[in-house]
Amino acid sequence: MDKYIVNPWEVKGDIDYSKLIKEFGTEAINESLLKRIQKHTKELHPFLRRKIFFSHRDLNWLLDEYEKGNKFFLYTGRAPSGPIHIGHLIPWMFTKWLQDKFGAELWFQFPDEEKFLFKENLTLEDTKRFTYDNMLDVIALGFKVNKTKFLVDTVHAGVMYKEAVRVAKKITFSTVKASFGFDNQNNIGSIFYTAMQAVPAFLPSVLKKKNIPCLIPLGVDQDPHFRLTRDVIHKLGYYKPAIIHCRFLPGLGGMEKGKMSASDASTVIYTTDDEKTVRNKIMKYAFSGGQATIEEHRKKGGNPDIDVSYQWLTFFEENDKRLEEIYHSYKSGKLLTGELKQILVDKLNKFLKEHQKKREKAKKEIDKFMFKV
Ligand code: TRP
């Protein structure tokens, strides 16, 4: 049984992404849509070429509007609950690319009440601390300061709450129960929460007093919030936001365990891990598609499709040719597991070294990214 779970509160199991498209009622990103995107961006981001972003809602409509001169803004977010790991970065790296290619404004939400409401042991002081910590990783990715606005729910409640109640009035308890599997034990804050996550999808339209199209890049687990949001804000007179969904970076322990999860430190690479830690974790924990002995590996070859190090390279090695070489070389048995792991270690450490430098610099920039009412 290939059982898997994908919703905003839980991601588990070996996810069948084409099934998910049917279950969620989204559309696959096909070749003609890729061509259409490429017309505007010249090149395609590796995440598009490799179907890491694999699904969407209303992207064709968004491009229709764009081609008519009706520019869109981007919206994504992060509920602070702990340090950032490299899996979190995937949708944001892509969002940064979209910002550059389309010259789009980005609204980045930090719902600092979300994980406080949903997790037993997290205080508002904890989430506040993580908000500022997590902002450093977002800024480090290179978003344009004059085109990026950070919204923090408890800080910007003044502008957000009025819009959130308009949304909340149009969502019944039974809808939320059905969408998220809530029951009578859920606290009332968690029941209201979706209304807050809906707000940035139309807040720019409210502030600029005109309807502006919105595109939301996200991990596919967040889609249920926006299924509700799309219906409701349409009723309020705003465009339904377009959405583009990505797959999850698997944890070090392997694909069948679902996404990288911060609750299991041995499956995670944090953005602040040093070179040695990265090396140790990968050498020790990265699930391998290799054979038990070198002789056997040389004879039968490895299986890159289940090998976590190879799978991670599909996210982090931008060069298609190089990636293909690694694939074949591992599959044929020429490349050993230890060697494959070393390629990944070098790649990640190079990336993280840069990231950590920029993250340090970001400490002075947080205030410039904050939305000023
Ligand atoms: N709920 C998301 C999380 O758990 C945070 C979030 C808020 C978000 N707004 C978003 C994610 C918009 C994607 C798109 O991290």
Side-chain angles (χ1 to χ4, degrees), residues 8-9 75-80 88 92 107-111 114-115 193 196-198 200 216-219 221-222 225-226 259:
W9 331 115
Y75 161 37
T76 194
R78 153 76 181 163
H88 293 129
W92 308 341
W107 289 73
F108 199 110
Q109 179 182 33
F110 293 89
E114 179 183 351
K115 295 293 154 69
Y193 172 71
M196 287 300 280
Q197 189 158 320
I216 313 177
L218 44 69
D221 59 321
Q222 294 295 312
H225 284 301
F226 293 108
K259 69 170 175 177

Side-chain angles (χ1 to χ4, degrees), residues 6-11 17 19-27 54-58 75-76 114 179-180 193-194 197-198 201 215-231 241-248 259:
V6 177
N7 66 51
W9 331 115
E10 199 178 11
V11 176
Y17 288 101
K19 251 198 210 157
L20 211 55
I21 287 177
K22 291 204 192 89
E23 281 168 27
F24 280 15
T26 66
E27 285 175 71
F54 69 106
S55 157
H56 75 101
R57 295 180 187 272
D58 280 344
Y75 161 37
T76 194
E114 179 183 351
S179 304
F180 299 117
Y193 172 71
T194 294
Q197 189 158 320
L215 171 62
I216 313 177
L218 44 69
V220 65
D221 59 321
Q222 294 295 312
D223 186 72
H225 284 301
F226 293 108
R227 254 178 268 160
L228 288 180
T229 299
R230 279 163 50 85
D231 287 346
I243 299 176
I244 183 161
H245 308 93
C246 68
R247 300 168 194 263
F248 304 107
K259 69 170 175 177

